[in-house]
Amino acid sequence: MSRTVIRGGLVVTAAEETPADVLIEDGKVAALAAPGGEWSQGWTADRTIDATGRYVIPGGVDGHTHMEMPFGGTFASDTFETGTRAAAWGGTTTIVDFAVQTVGHALREGLDAWHLKAHGNCAIDYGFHMILSDVNESTLKEMDLLVGEGVTSFKLFMAYPGVFYSDDGQILRAMQRASGNGGLIMMHAENGIAIDVLVEQALAEGRTDPRYHGEVRKALLESEATHRAIQLARVAGAPLYVVHVSAQEAVAELTRARDLGLDVFGETCPQYLFLSTDNLAEPDFEGAKYVCSTPLRPVEHQAALWRGLRTNDLQVVSTDHCPFCFTGQKELGRGDFSKIPNGMPGVEHRMDLLHQAVVDGHISRRRWIEIACATPARMFGLYPRKGTIAPGADADIVVYDPRARQTLSAGTHHMNVDYSAYEGKQITGQVETVLSRGVPVIDQREYTGRAGHGQFLIRDTCQYLG
Ligand SMILES: [Zn+2]
């Protein structure tokens, strides 16, 4: 039996913060005890980690990543190997990535393809959501099978006509199916039909720079789609999880639904909390670095997102990590913003940026852990195995130095992408050591993990329901 003890740290979970020593046996948390007390002094271990002056927190759970995602004729530049290594560097020990169904093909084909990409390559544990691109009688039946295999959430798109888009009838059918099989519908809520009209008009008028990507994808078209998705979910009697909420008007729709007691959940991402249309307007095509959908919003929207996170009208912060290099990938859209691959790098910096939000007074320490670890674990059926530090939980644990200073930069990050969306940003706090099921993946800021350590997670259904 292998035993590790972490001594002297402040254990922070969503529920409490308390000085405690942590005993790990065979990859699981075995016990917590008062630091230096008689009980924990008696613990023998193969390895002792001194966490004096450090936080001891659950590994991050990033419920929204796109490793190797095909988009616009290219692929997201992080593989499962490079992307999960970068995640580990940033204190994230679980990702839930999106397997993609191609139109005309079975869900099974898409899921098998994603298993092949990930198997043997991940440094940390991973699960899959399934993107439904083609809702029909046979894919609806397949949904039931996938729930049984631990792929318990399904993403639909109201955007991207001709690629991922589902019409309202398809959405309703998928929601009805989910209400019967326990699946969670995740929605990209933007009115893609209307957006495509505005894209065409902008390009015809010579408005081709990256900033027009943000201007045509109007906040009203996000809030309209959010409203419509909520009503369809009510009709179907299904829960709804809205991904990457960026507009304050969309937060208002979620707030209204939650005030009615509906099972409606919302996620936002660091880019919407820390970046804005000012970045999209950067000259010399630099704005392309910040092209993602939903788009970055004017800076005033940030206050509504922070408020939503404090009031629990937004419950989760994930990254929507979908990196494309500036050189050779983002550049595909020079002279036509609609050809810029949509997505940004971020999987490495979520825990740090949210710790900065604690330092800045936006959220509390426990809320940091709640929105980044505990709630995504519950939302996607992984709690308490993931997302907390308690006896029986996987020993996915981060020793975090809350006083370290770091500067985010493409020169030092570990994601396979040639720019940082946060170049030069100063952060207080840094990951020091990361354990995945008790095994050091980052040890005193050295990478000690390996591709293939990470295991596929068979997830339960959403733990906020029933
Ligand atoms: Zn996404």
Side-chain angles (χ1 to χ4, degrees), residues 64-384:
H64 191 155
T65 66
H66 299 283
M67 307 303 173
E68 303 179 52
M69 160 97 166
F71 191 97
T74 187
F75 287 84
S77 58
D78 264 318
T79 62
F80 279 89
E81 181 172 356
T82 64
T84 57
R85 190 165 61 212
W89 272 103
T92 287
T93 52
T94 302
I95 61 165
V96 190
D97 201 272
F98 289 85
V100 180
Q101 179 206 8
T102 310
V103 175
H105 294 258
L107 301 187
R108 171 71 55 205
E109 272 181 67
L111 182 59
D112 285 351
W114 257 257
H115 273 300
L116 274 177
K117 288 174 201 251
H119 181 75
N121 291 320
C122 293
I124 55 168
D125 290 349
Y126 63 97
F128 290 128
H129 313 286
M130 188 81 224
I131 287 178
L132 297 185
S133 307
D134 190 358
V135 177
N136 58 48
E137 272 314 307
S138 94
T139 53
L140 287 168
K141 290 199 185 93
E142 280 194 282
M143 286 172 72
D144 302 351
L145 299 174
L146 264 55
V147 169
E149 294 174 20
V151 177
T152 55
S153 38
F154 301 90
K155 188 178 180 189
L156 295 163
F157 288 78
M158 302 167 99
Y160 304 126
V163 189
F164 300 126
Y165 175 82
S166 293
D167 66 29
D168 290 355
Q170 291 173 311
I171 290 169
L172 183 64
R173 283 183 198 279
M175 287 174 163
Q176 288 171 331
R177 197 77 185 197
S179 81
N181 67 24
L184 179 64
I185 296 293
M186 308 171 75
M187 188 64 74
H188 179 133
E190 282 188 297
N191 186 327
I193 301 284
I195 285 168
D196 274 9
V197 171
L198 298 178
V199 169
E200 193 183 305
Q201 290 169 347
L203 293 175
E205 290 160 14
R207 292 181 286 135
T208 62
D209 288 344
R211 70 188 176 98
Y212 297 107
H213 168 83
E215 291 190 12
V216 299
R217 305 189 83 93
K218 293 186 180 302
L220 284 173
L221 297 177
E222 182 187 344
S223 64
E224 181 276 326
T226 305
H227 178 83
R228 184 157 37 101
I230 292 166
Q231 306 316 320
L232 290 169
R234 291 174 79 177
V235 170
L240 175 68
Y241 178 94
V242 182
V243 296
H244 50 53
V245 174
S246 68
Q248 58 187 349
E249 296 87 343
V251 179
E253 294 292 344
L254 296 172
T255 303
R256 195 169 309 137
R258 290 181 62 80
D259 287 350
L260 291 171
L262 303 174
D263 288 322
V264 171
F265 309 99
E267 156 200 288
T268 191
C269 311
Q271 53 268 35
Y272 308 117
L273 295 164
F274 291 92
L275 303 172
S276 72
T277 46
D278 296 347
N279 299 98
L280 267 177
E282 286 178 13
D284 301 326
F285 196 65
E286 297 273 313
K289 294 174 176 175
Y290 309 95
V291 164
C292 57
S293 297
T294 60
L296 302 186
R297 301 294 181 193
V299 72
E300 330 50 289
H301 290 253
Q302 291 173 1
L305 298 176
W306 287 121
R307 191 180 327 112
L309 286 171
R310 284 193 297 271
T311 58
N312 205 39
D313 288 310
L314 296 171
Q315 295 80 31
V316 171
V317 176
S318 63
T319 60
D320 198 7
H321 176 75
C322 192
F324 297 98
C325 288
F326 184 75
T327 302
Q329 292 195 297
K330 289 290 189 180
E331 283 181 332
L332 294 168
R334 266 193 203 275
D336 179 351
F337 67 82
S338 74
K339 295 199 162 56
I340 301 169
N342 284 205
M344 285 176 55
V347 76
E348 187 170 350
H349 299 314
R350 182 183 63 127
M351 297 299 287
D352 286 330
L353 286 163
L354 292 176
H355 182 259
Q356 186 62 45
V358 174
V359 173
D360 293 343
H362 288 298
I363 51 173
S364 71
R365 224 160 24 192
R366 277 172 286 161
R367 186 64 175 158
W368 169 45
I369 301 307
E370 190 162 33
I371 62 182
C373 310
T375 301
R378 280 201 177 95
M379 193 68 69
F380 302 123
L382 292 167
Y383 197 88

